[in-house]
Amino acid sequence: MKRAMGCLLLAVLLACLTAVAGLADARMPQRRGALTDDADVLGAQVAADVAEYARRLEDETGIGLHVVLVHFLDGLDARSYANDLFSAWALGEDDLLLLGAAGEDSFAVALGDDVAGKLGRTNAENLLYTSSHFSALFKSQQYDAAMAAFAEALSSLVSRQLKAQASLDGLFEDYLNTSSGVSPVKTEAQSYASELWDEVMTAIQQSGDDYQARQQTHRDERGGMSVGGWLVLLLIVLILFGQSGPARRARRNGPRSCCGCSPLGWVAGLLGLNVFADLFRRRKGC
């Protein structure tokens, strides 16, 4: 009886663990062609442009583009979710998956080995960052512009790596100037970077001006005599010329003194030279 109860409890425990594991699995959207927008964040025209661009890309290069937008990733990071979805959809070696989670401002790409060989895995990942404004646009909820920036960057990469042309003519016209290859929209990140740069340069200029002003003040102070210097000079002048005329004549006509009481002796005392004066007097026998 005890053995039967133990087996029953073990079976219930395994069933509970299986149920929990099933609940922990991230929800995966159903595939709906080149674009699966479960987050419903793209405009109708951009959604149509994404599907058309994916068709042109596959015709020209054989690369299958799949764009998936969801709200949340159910606890997974974007890279893991993208890789799991790539496997769940049984995508192949020539497929490229772009995943975006609108509710988490996160995104990633997953790609087959053939695409990685054609484009370079690092190059494909950089389509979200250094090669385009996709990251800044997506995080600022400008999803239509983000898709346009990604398509433009991918088209440039394909042209460079495969010498093929996935044309953007007539696509994403509100966001791309295809004749010049430059996006006319100024992103929030670009505006912020520009304002930050201006503030930094202004602070540097202000610091430079303050430094130059301090240096000029120091030069002016070194170039003139301080108040203490003027007082010392005045004291010396009073000592040298403050004696009366008869006293000066008496010193000139009288015996030479070496007692150090002359004005020069006073000056020597002020300058700390009285030690040398004492030595001189001892040698003279004063």
Side-chain angles (χ1 to χ4, degrees):
M1 183 67 179
K2 291 182 179 180
R3 182 176 298 178
M5 290 295 296
C7 292
L8 179 60
L9 289 175
L10 181 59
V12 171
L13 178 62
L14 290 176
C16 290
L17 291 176
T18 302
V20 170
L23 291 173
D25 289 340
R27 294 166 294 178
M28 298 292 170
Q30 296 295 319
R31 183 176 173 183
R32 299 184 181 85
L35 172 65
T36 302
D37 184 11
D38 275 16
D40 194 24
V41 293
L42 295 184
Q45 184 57 56
V46 170
D49 290 346
V50 169
E52 174 59 21
Y53 178 70
R55 186 192 65 77
R56 296 181 187 181
L57 181 67
E58 187 168 14
D59 290 344
E60 294 295 329
T61 66
I63 296 174
L65 174 63
H66 307 271
V67 177
V68 184
L69 299 172
V70 297
H71 283 295
F72 300 104
L73 303 176
D74 292 345
L76 296 180
D77 61 90
R79 185 185 296 274
S80 298
Y81 192 102
N83 289 333
D84 288 351
L85 184 59
F86 194 94
S87 299
W89 283 4
L91 298 181
E93 302 299 322
D94 287 321
D95 289 317
L96 170 62
L97 173 70
L98 168 62
L99 167 72
E104 299 182 13
D105 292 338
S106 59
F107 35 79
V109 293
L111 55 157
D113 290 339
D114 287 350
V115 176
K118 291 176 181 179
L119 302 181
R121 191 172 296 276
T122 300
N123 291 336
E125 292 176 350
N126 283 342
L127 293 172
L128 306 178
Y129 301 99
T130 58
S131 297
S132 73
H133 302 303
F134 176 89
S135 174
L137 291 165
F138 194 91
K139 289 180 178 180
S140 60
Q141 288 79 51
Q142 300 180 68
Y143 303 110
D144 288 348
M147 290 300 107
F150 180 84
E152 183 182 34
L154 179 56
S155 182
S156 177
L157 178 61
V158 165
S159 176
R160 185 172 68 252
Q161 294 293 100
L162 305 181
K163 309 303 180 185
Q165 183 65 42
S167 175
L168 290 170
D169 291 344
L171 303 179
F172 309 107
E173 291 183 334
D174 291 338
Y175 304 97
L176 300 179
N177 182 354
T178 55
S179 62
S180 62
V182 178
S183 174
V185 291
K186 187 174 184 180
T187 69
E188 292 181 7
Q190 288 174 302
S191 299
Y192 174 75
S194 178
E195 293 173 3
L196 180 61
W197 176 258
D198 291 341
E199 291 177 2
V200 170
M201 295 305 297
T202 300
I204 292 174
Q205 181 65 37
Q206 185 64 43
S207 298
D209 293 342
D210 293 343
Y211 174 78
Q212 292 179 0
R214 289 195 299 270
Q215 290 298 105
Q216 184 62 44
T217 302
H218 293 331
R219 285 194 293 268
D220 293 342
E221 291 176 352
R222 289 195 299 266
M225 185 175 293
S226 64
V227 175
W230 282 109
L231 290 176
V232 172
L233 179 61
L234 179 60
L235 180 59
I236 294 173
V237 170
L238 291 175
I239 291 172
L240 291 176
F241 301 101
Q243 302 294 329
S244 64
R248 288 197 296 272
R249 286 194 297 272
R251 285 198 302 274
R252 286 198 301 268
N253 298 328
R256 186 180 301 273
S257 175
C258 60
C259 66
C261 297
S262 66
L264 290 178
W266 292 8
V267 174
L270 288 172
L271 298 177
L273 301 178
N274 55 323
V275 175
F276 297 100
D278 291 341
L279 290 175
F280 179 75
R281 285 198 298 273
R282 284 197 293 272
R283 293 186 61 185
K284 300 294 274 186
C286 295

